[in-house]
Amino acid sequence: MYDELTEVDLKKMREEIDYRTRVLRPQLIEEVQTARAFGDLSENFEYKCAKQAKNRNDSRIRYLERMIRTAKVITAADAGDAVGLFDKVTVFNELLHREMTLRIVTTLRQDALKGLISKESPVGKALLGRKAGDKVQVEAAQGTRYTMEILSVEKGEDDESLDISAY
């Protein structure tokens, strides 16, 4: 399986890999060496923490490299007045009985708490290609269904203001 990512996603991942490799990794290795000098490793909490931090950094680097290697590069094509990638969509959620503003993004930049919805999510899939005034049926987990009405669509673009997910 691959993830559909934009050139901006790939650029941000390469920048993070560069930072983690050139700046963070040497710092973490030095912390491990310093903590190791404290003595008995079986009871050395600082050493264990330093090793965990170094291993998390290395794991993140491997994850990002794998994402880049397996990515399918896409472009945010203009969908006219229909909902497209990076557009802000104001909807009325009939299940919650309230208006919500969502932005459709790539999987790597999703953050539901900030209203950034993946194009791969049930809501993202339901909204893509639809227009203001349309009612869409969202099929969530365990067969739950609800309806959303698209109130407005504000065109967006792939900019670098959206961070990539941490994990």
Side-chain angles (χ1 to χ4, degrees), residues 1-17 20 59-74 85-86 103-112 114-121 158-167:
M1 167 110 188
Y2 57 84
D3 286 301
E4 293 181 339
L5 304 172
T6 64
E7 285 294 337
V8 173
D9 291 332
L10 296 174
K11 178 181 179 232
K12 285 178 159 283
M13 287 190 295
R14 287 183 186 110
E15 288 171 354
E16 184 175 340
I17 289 170
R20 287 180 174 277
S59 176
R60 177 68 175 177
I61 290 169
R62 285 190 306 272
Y63 168 77
L64 292 171
E65 287 172 341
R66 185 174 52 252
M67 289 286 288
I68 291 170
R69 202 172 43 250
T70 62
K72 177 182 177 188
V73 180
I74 59 170
L85 194 57
F86 300 108
R103 187 167 179 190
I104 309 299
V105 297
T106 58
T107 304
L108 192 64
R109 294 195 241 176
Q110 70 185 358
D111 187 343
K114 294 180 181 177
L116 302 173
I117 305 300
S118 167
K119 66 184 202 64
E120 303 293 328
S121 70
D158 186 7
D159 59 9
E160 295 189 28
S161 67
L162 301 173
D163 292 327
I164 59 176
S165 302
Y167 254 155

Side-chain angles (χ1 to χ4, degrees), residues 35-156:
R36 182 179 209 138
F38 291 158
D40 185 9
L41 297 182
S42 66
E43 296 179 10
N44 189 335
F45 183 72
E46 290 83 5
Y47 176 74
K48 289 179 183 175
C49 288
K51 282 290 282 186
Q52 285 178 342
K54 180 191 166 302
N55 291 340
R56 273 194 305 274
N57 184 57
D58 291 344
S59 176
R60 177 68 175 177
I61 290 169
R62 285 190 306 272
Y63 168 77
L64 292 171
E65 287 172 341
R66 185 174 52 252
M67 289 286 288
I68 291 170
R69 202 172 43 250
T70 62
K72 177 182 177 188
V73 180
I74 59 170
T75 57
D78 184 17
D81 57 351
V83 177
L85 194 57
F86 300 108
D87 292 348
K88 285 185 182 177
V89 184
T90 304
V91 297
F92 181 77
N93 185 323
E94 294 182 1
L95 179 67
L96 300 175
H97 303 289
R98 67 182 179 104
E99 269 187 35
M100 303 165 67
T101 301
L102 309 170
R103 187 167 179 190
I104 309 299
V105 297
T106 58
T107 304
L108 192 64
R109 294 195 241 176
Q110 70 185 358
D111 187 343
L113 296 176
K114 294 180 181 177
L116 302 173
I117 305 300
S118 167
K119 66 184 202 64
E120 303 293 328
S121 70
V123 173
K125 287 179 181 178
L127 293 174
L128 280 175
R130 305 309 280 285
K131 298 179 181 181
D134 288 354
K135 286 192 175 195
V136 297
Q137 187 82 10
V138 178
E139 294 189 35
Q142 302 165 347
T144 305
R145 291 187 176 136
Y146 59 94
T147 304
M148 296 177 117
E149 181 180 357
I150 301 173
L151 303 176
S152 67
V153 178
E154 181 184 327
K155 290 299 173 187

Side-chain angles (χ1 to χ4, degrees), residues 18-31:
D18 186 56
Y19 169 75
R20 287 180 174 277
T21 304
R22 294 177 186 260
V23 178
L24 200 54
R25 183 182 277 160
Q27 289 174 358
L28 294 171
I29 289 172
E30 185 176 326
E31 288 176 17

